[in-house]
Structure formats: C-alpha cells, structure tokens
Amino acid sequence: MTPWVYEFRWEAGHIAFLLLFLSVGITVAVAFLTALYRSSRDRSLNLHSEIMWKAVFEELPREARSCRHELTGELRNRPCPHEFNCRACDTHARLLRENSAPPRELPVLGLEIPDDRFYHRGHTWIKAEADGSVRIGLDDFGRRLAGSVDEVTFPTLGDKVEVNGVCCTMKRGGAVAKILSPVEGTITATGGDEADWFLKVKLSDAGKDLRHLLTPREARFWMLKELERLQMCLSGSRAGITLADGGNLVQDVPSAIKEDCAMVWEEMFLQP
Amino acid sequence: MDNDLLPRGVQRGPLWKFSLLLFPWVLLLAWGVYAVFLCLAEGLNQTNMDNRFAFGLWIYLDLTVIALGAGAFSTGFLLYILKRHELKAVINSAVVLGLICYSGAVAILMVDVGQPLRAWFTFWHPNTHSMLTEVTFCLTCYLIVLLLEYVPIVLKNRKLRQIPSFLVFEFEFHKLMPVLAGVGTVLSFFHQGSLGGLYGVMRGRPFAFREEIGIWPSTFFLFILSAIAAGPSFLLLMTWLVERISGKRLVKRDVLQFLGRLSGILVIVYVLFKAVDTLIWINNTSPASGFPAFEYYERKEFGTWILLSEIILFGLLPGLVLLKKRWRSDIRILLGSALMIVFGVALNRFVLTIQTLALPTLTFDKFLSYSPSWQEVAAFAAVIAYGVLLYSISFRYLPLFPQEREIARTQEARA
C-alpha cells in the first residue's frame, strides 16, 4: 500500500494505488495553500472592501437586491446579479441603449431627491463639482435615518476610498452606522456640521465611470422600496405605528425607534 | 459584546439563558470524559466487551452516526458539484452535523482501540489486508476535509470577518469548496463502503458474509447506498428539531421537501438492492456456508420480524411515502418518514454489529448476550453532549441557516 510497508512492490498497480491515495492529500493541501496564496494576493491588491461588500450583498434580503430596471418596471423579478456593479452588467448597457423604460408616474414620497446628483444604495448621493471632484452626502432618507448623531468619524484627508467600502462612521448612543462610499477616489475635504455633504473626493480614473449609481428618477422608485423595507424592518420592533398609516418619514427616526436604532441602521445602510 | 458575535439580522436569546440550557450537557460531557479516563487508565475491562464480543455499543453507534453524517458529503456533492442551489440553505448545518458525527466517532474509536497514543501505528504500519485500514485512512482524511469545510463557516462569524485576513481567506477558501466536496465524496464513498465490507468479508460469520461484486462484498455498496439515503433524512430531522427548539423557521419548506424526496428516492434504490442481496444470501450464500438462513431467525429476539422491519417497515414504506408529493407536503408525514428511514439504517447497523456477534456459528457456540457497561454508555453520552454543545454554539454564533433572516422578516411583515 505504501512504500515502507511489507509486500509493497514498485509495480504499476501498487504505484497507481499509492498515487491515488497521495492525490487526496495533495489535492486538499493544494486547495488550502491556494486559498492562502490568493488571500495574500487579494490583501496586497487591497481587495478587502470589495470582498466585504460581496459578503454583505450575499446576505441582503431579496427585496434589497432589486435590479434598478426592476425598480423602474423595465424588468420583472430580477435580483441584481452583479452586486450593484452596473458597470459590469450587459443587461444594463443594453437597456440603456434601447431606452425602453415604460412611462410610470413618479411616486410621491415626502423626501427630497434633487435632480442634480446620483444616488447610491447605501443612502448617499454624489454631486459633481466644477473642479472634477465630487461631494458625497447622505440622501434625505439617510439623513432622517441618522437623525442627530453624537459623533461622526471621517477618514483622513488624502486617504483612498473604494466603492462600497466604509467612508465614514456615525455614532448615536450605542449604535454605530458605517456609511458606504458611492465612488472610489481620494479624500480632499470633509464637511462641517452645517454642510449637507460630508466628504469631497477626487475621483480615480476608474472611479469616473458612474454607471453604477442611480439616476434621480430611479432613486425615487428605489426609495419607495426602501420605505417598505424600513416598515418591514420595524414591524417586529417597539416602534409602534409605522408608515402603514400613509404618513411621511419622521425627521429623526432613531428618536422614534430608540433601542432598535442599531438594527435599523445596520439593515438600511447596508453596512458590513 | 455577545450581540456583536451573533449573525446579522437574526434574533437569539440572552446569553445567561443560553448558558443555563447548555449546563446539563456540560455535566453529561464531564461524566463521559470521566468514563473515558477510566477506560484509558484502567483498560477496556471497564467495558462489557470481551474477545468474543469485541464490537459493542461503541462500534454500533459509531457506524450509525457515520451513516447519518453522510448528509454532509451528499449535500456538498449535490450543491457544489451538481449545482442544486436550494441546498445552500442547509449546507452549513450539514457540515457542522457531519463534523460532529465524524469527530465523535473517531474519538470513540480512539477509546475503543484502547491505546490512543499508538494511533499512528495504523498509518505507519497499515495492515493491507484489513478493511479497517481503508476505513482508518479515509475517516481521518475526511475528518480533515470536514474541519477545513468548517473553517470558512467559523470565519463567517460577524466579529471574525471584520478582521481583513480572515474575511479574505474565507472568501478565497469558499471558492475552492467544490474541490473539497469532490474529495469528501471520494473519501466517504470508500470509508462508508469499507465499513460495510468489513462485515461482508467475514467468512467465519455466515450471517454477515456476502458474495463479492468486483473486489468488494455486496455490503460495501449497501452501506454506501444506505448512508446517502439516511443522510438527507437526518439533516431534515435535525433542521426541524433546531427549528422547534429555537422557535424559529430556519429554512423554506420546499428545502425540507427536497431533502425528503431525495431520501425517498435513494432509500427505494437501497431497498431494492438490499432485497436482491438478501434473496441471494438466503438462497445461495448462506446454504453454501452450511447454514440454512432460517436458522438465524429461530430466536425470538432476532426473529424474521427484524429483517422485515428493516426492509419493508423502515425502508420501502417511508421511501414510497416520500416519493408522493402530496404526502411529503404534510410536515408530519415528512418527518415521520424521515425518522423511519433513520431508524431503519440504525437498525441495519445494529443487526450487522450486534446480531452478527450474538449468533452462534460453531456447534459448541452459544448464543451470546451483551449489554453495555455504564462506562460505555457514558462515553457515548459524552459524544452526544459534545455534539449538542458544538451545534448549539455554532447555531448561536455562525450563520448556519442563510434563509433564517429573510424568513424572519417575512413572518414579521405578515404579522
């Protein structure tokens, strides 16, 4: 069976059996070492944020993974297959060419969704600046979800941010929200208390492609879904009557939901 | 602190309550560890086994849990190789159950051998003429595979995955799961088969001896078939049990029904082969050894009822029930059938281990009886306690059921 055992002979049959047995051990060892090598390579390529986002996306409930074209009614029942990276999506490119979106009445939400910016599913927007950089801020929904926070932690100027990587954190009581970056680039400024934006980013060359972000029209349909998702999220909490009564989203959601804040932030900000 | 370790978006009870519930199992584990200590320190005279009745409760239960643990490799094979994605809902749980079954079985084998410090002898000086050598090699290798499959599940823990190295390694390692699933299938095929072959080659025990198909006795193939038939049923039962204990719906009902259907189809195939094998044995193999088969069933304890129960009551009947969609849609029928299949396979292992050794084979032999000592019972109770502890901790802190979160949210919304 093995060379050190009596009766082993260096013949084809014995060698084949030995190789078969060794191949099992070699396969397992190679698989393990390959994973180690690849993970070390991923770390050196700084793919950590991308991988974390894949893990977060995989855990998202179906209703949070809707394709942007499902939101607008162009496609039916289509969860996004690309982790919201529409740059890599052939269907998105095709539908943009065909421009086949059916005319639909825009939902009335009681939320501000300015037309001069693009929106990210982590409840941030970006607005282009004259110098080619972009400002990043929380959308109206995200702002109400955050309410009046105790502390905001920004990255250092000059730091690089990745799409769907964490670009800032907010604290309120024991709850922490990690806000995802909508773009990749270098931080050039951070906003003050009064500003409606919190980061200014100089886009990297790859980051200038903004096809992954929602247009204001798409954002309206998406936020309608988000309101439903928030309602579902709060249905098991102690928040009392939620949006089912048809009212507007309150200005400071955490003050209404208290100890459920961490859970709601985690869910709605898609945080890792 | 404890809340930070829980899987995302799921509810778990308070830590003190969880600890309190686990405490009796810790006591049971301690009792078993004491029994193991006695067996290792004082010797196997602590058991009621002897040179004649060398396989007892431990080997019987080892064979049973190894068969039930087959759910891990069969689910992995179906998910990663045959791409049955619906099984993603239970794969993590299947791996944990497989790990518990196999590691528990190996631990008991170490005690049963009596000298665990010399366990390496079997690898360095293997007896190439023994089926047990193949079992030892394949079991050890597969246990390593299961441990490697468990690693990414542990690294999915919410706190651990915040560590970039762990997150990235888990991501890359998970991509290689089809390789491990393939290796696990090959290893399981051989050790499940060799455990059955172990009995089939015993010429001195005509009750167990079987004709060869190729180089293996028929029991080699019957053990593989019965294990892959019982594995999904056991997984189904455990999923339901965890749902009951935790008070949460963990998987969609169609997943349980798929497991039931799979088990039903496989058990029918197994029963067909088993029936043919039994007929050949009754009419050919056993008479050729000088024993008319009916003689084995003359004792009331091991009458023909045991054979008929194994094949018809706990094989054919639940298998047929699970094939019919309307019947398996009823959760009570589904669970009842799965339980019968699991029981049938456990009965098969009992027959081959205990009945084989109890029956006389020589003219001066007597019918042997055996009942396990408290040390044997305690040692195996420790395996069960270890399983409960490992599974409970895994369930609390690791994402064993990826559908749990979505199901909980849907239920809340409906409420």
Side-chain angles (χ1 to χ4, degrees):
Chain A
M1 189 172 185
T2 40
W4 56 83
V5 175
Y6 67 98
E7 293 186 5
F8 179 85
R9 291 184 299 279
W10 290 99
E11 293 172 357
H14 287 221
I15 292 169
F17 189 89
L18 180 65
L19 289 177
L20 181 70
F21 173 68
L22 289 177
S23 65
V24 170
I26 290 168
T27 308
V28 173
V30 167
F32 187 77
L33 292 173
T34 305
L36 271 180
Y37 164 73
R38 285 183 180 174
S39 55
S40 142
R41 183 200 57 191
D42 292 350
R43 289 218 64 200
S44 63
L45 292 173
N46 210 14
L47 297 177
H48 166 245
S49 298
E50 191 182 323
I51 292 171
M52 178 58 103
W53 169 244
K54 281 178 193 286
V56 170
F57 185 84
E58 198 181 329
E59 290 175 359
L60 288 179
R62 166 64 185 86
E63 66 270 14
R65 283 187 282 125
S66 295
C67 165
R68 62 200 296 171
H69 299 286
E70 182 192 289
L71 295 169
T72 54
E74 285 163 275
L75 297 174
R76 294 180 69 182
N77 192 22
R78 184 177 194 258
C80 173
H82 298 290
E83 293 109 21
F84 296 148
N85 180 14
C86 308
R87 298 159 173 171
C89 182
D90 294 337
T91 307
H92 176 58
R94 179 175 60 78
L95 289 171
L96 277 185
R97 277 198 308 274
E98 292 172 3
N99 193 22
S100 60
R104 284 181 75 187
E105 194 178 332
L106 292 174
V108 178
L109 303 165
L111 294 168
E112 284 179 35
I113 305 173
D115 286 339
D116 58 352
R117 47 202 87 176
F118 291 107
Y119 295 85
H120 180 260
R121 309 263 192 145
H123 285 291
T124 49
W125 51 253
I126 67 154
K127 187 178 175 186
E129 294 284 289
D131 62 0
S133 61
V134 295
R135 280 184 188 176
I136 300 175
L138 281 182
D139 64 29
D140 195 15
F141 193 113
R143 202 178 46 72
R144 295 180 193 215
L145 275 180
S148 56
V149 294
D150 300 335
E151 186 188 336
V152 182
T153 310
F154 297 115
T156 316
L157 294 186
D159 278 1
K160 289 195 185 319
V161 287
E162 302 289 330
V163 178
N164 303 317
V166 176
C167 67
C168 109
T169 56
M170 301 184 305
K171 281 186 188 164
R172 175 164 174 160
V176 179
K178 295 173 182 171
I179 306 300
L180 303 185
S181 171
V183 289
E184 60 245 45
T186 309
I187 309 286
T188 54
T190 55
D193 290 342
E194 298 302 315
D196 69 341
W197 57 278
F198 57 84
L199 285 180
K200 195 170 168 186
V201 173
K202 184 175 186 307
L203 299 175
S204 64
D205 287 343
K208 286 173 183 161
D209 183 348
L210 301 176
R211 280 177 296 167
H212 62 292
L213 298 173
L214 300 178
T215 62
R217 180 175 184 274
E218 288 168 330
R220 283 191 169 272
F221 292 111
W222 165 62
M223 285 207 200
L224 178 65
K225 263 252 179 269
E226 286 294 276
L227 284 168
E228 290 168 11
R229 217 158 71 78
L230 176 64
Q231 190 181 346
M232 199 182 276
C233 190
L234 292 172
S235 57
S237 75
R238 290 167 287 269
I241 298 169
T242 53
L243 298 165
D245 63 351
N248 286 338
L249 186 62
V250 294
Q251 289 293 334
D252 188 350
V253 173
S255 65
I257 59 175
K258 297 186 174 64
E259 60 263 48
D260 293 315
C261 180
M263 180 264 293
V264 170
W265 277 6
E266 180 183 89
E267 189 69 39
M268 301 307 296
F269 285 121
L270 312 181
Q271 65 186 46
Chain B
M1 170 63 188
D2 184 61
N3 280 341
D4 294 342
L5 294 168
L6 302 182
R8 185 188 172 105
V10 302
Q11 299 282 324
R12 295 286 181 264
L15 183 61
W16 66 266
K17 199 174 170 186
F18 178 69
S19 309
L20 208 62
L21 285 171
L22 290 191
F23 187 65
W25 296 101
V26 174
L27 289 180
L28 191 62
L29 181 67
W31 182 52
V33 169
Y34 173 63
V36 167
F37 167 75
L38 284 179
C39 292
L40 295 178
E42 304 290 330
L44 291 175
N45 59 359
Q46 299 291 307
T47 72
N48 283 346
M49 290 181 282
D50 53 32
N51 287 342
R52 191 56 216 287
F53 222 114
F55 287 177
L57 178 78
W58 288 344
I59 295 295
Y60 157 56
L61 288 176
D62 264 5
L63 291 185
T64 305
V65 295
I66 285 173
L68 301 181
F73 93 83
S74 54
T75 310
F77 179 77
L78 286 166
L79 173 63
Y80 295 117
I81 313 284
L82 299 185
K83 306 292 179 197
R84 296 304 304 243
H85 292 292
E86 57 268 55
L87 291 174
K88 206 173 169 186
V90 288
I91 184 67
N92 290 351
S93 176
V95 168
V96 178
L97 286 173
L99 179 66
I100 290 166
C101 288
Y102 277 83
S103 55
V106 168
I108 284 294
L109 275 176
M110 298 281 266
V111 184
D112 203 356
V113 169
Q115 299 208 27
L117 293 180
R118 295 185 185 177
W120 61 274
F121 273 42
T122 192
F123 301 102
W124 201 252
H125 305 293
N127 175 4
T128 51
H129 303 290
S130 169
M131 282 278 185
L132 275 177
T133 297
E134 195 178 17
V135 172
T136 314
F137 273 67
C138 288
L139 265 187
T140 313
C141 291
Y142 187 51
L143 184 57
I144 292 168
V145 169
L146 278 170
L147 280 167
L148 290 177
E149 286 182 341
Y150 187 55
V151 168
I153 302 174
V154 173
L155 296 182
K156 273 183 197 288
N157 173 271
R158 205 160 143 210
K159 199 77 181 168
L160 289 179
R161 81 174 186 189
Q162 299 296 334
I163 301 167
S165 312
F166 287 176
L167 173 82
V168 173
F169 180 73
E170 184 276 319
F171 176 75
E172 290 295 350
F173 201 37
H174 192 263
K175 284 198 225 167
L176 297 167
M177 278 302 138
V179 177
L180 292 185
V183 171
T185 304
V186 172
L187 292 171
S188 297
F189 184 86
F190 280 107
H191 73 242
Q192 296 281 2
S194 295
L195 282 169
L198 180 72
Y199 295 99
V201 295
M202 293 199 294
R203 252 178 212 285
R205 296 278 173 188
F207 178 72
F209 178 73
R210 292 293 188 278
E211 301 289 343
E212 288 168 352
I213 302 173
I215 59 169
W216 291 295
S218 60
T219 45
F220 180 95
F221 302 98
L222 289 174
F223 258 53
I224 296 169
L225 273 173
S226 57
I228 58 173
S233 273
F234 182 63
L235 186 55
L236 190 163
L237 285 171
M238 291 308 295
T239 307
W240 175 82
L241 192 64
V242 179
E243 283 188 346
R244 290 292 298 210
I245 293 170
S246 64
K248 295 175 178 63
R249 178 73 72 84
L250 301 171
V251 297
K252 292 174 182 165
R253 281 293 164 260
D254 56 349
V255 176
L256 294 186
Q257 285 186 32
F258 178 75
L259 287 172
R261 181 164 164 257
L262 184 67
S263 205
I265 293 169
L266 290 167
V267 88
I268 291 289
V269 176
Y270 162 66
V271 162
L272 284 177
F273 276 92
K274 171 82 181 166
V276 171
D277 175 72
T278 305
L279 287 173
I280 293 172
W281 172 71
I282 289 172
N283 293 301
N284 192 7
T285 318
S286 186
S289 309
F291 286 82
F294 69 86
E295 283 187 10
Y296 300 117
Y297 298 101
E298 283 176 346
R299 294 193 67 90
K300 197 171 61 181
E301 300 90 328
F302 294 129
T304 46
W305 64 270
I306 205 165
L307 179 67
L308 295 175
S309 301
E310 192 194 327
I311 296 177
I312 297 172
L313 184 60
F314 298 116
L316 186 64
L317 182 65
L320 289 174
V321 167
L322 287 175
L323 288 186
K324 197 163 172 68
K325 190 177 180 184
R326 193 159 60 87
W327 288 341
R328 68 169 182 270
S329 301
D330 185 325
I331 188 73
R332 286 166 300 182
I333 297 177
L334 180 71
L335 292 168
S337 305
L339 188 64
M340 285 165 82
I341 289 173
V342 165
F343 190 79
V345 171
L347 183 62
N348 173 262
R349 288 356 182 212
F350 175 82
V351 166
L352 277 171
T353 310
I354 306 297
Q355 193 174 348
T356 298
L357 291 177
L359 290 172
T361 49
L362 299 171
T363 47
F364 49 83
D365 272 349
K366 290 179 183 164
F367 181 84
L368 292 179
S369 65
Y370 149 87
S371 59
S373 67
W374 74 263
Q375 290 91 335
E376 288 174 76
V377 174
F380 213 90
V383 169
I384 294 169
Y386 147 76
V388 171
L389 290 169
L390 181 59
Y391 194 91
S392 303
I393 293 166
S394 300
F395 175 71
R396 185 175 176 83
Y397 296 113
L398 307 175
L400 291 197
F401 297 98
Q403 289 180 350
E404 181 185 357
R405 183 182 178 204
E406 196 170 338
I407 292 171
R409 287 166 53 81
T410 313
Q411 283 179 331
E412 278 172 6
R414 278 190 196 143

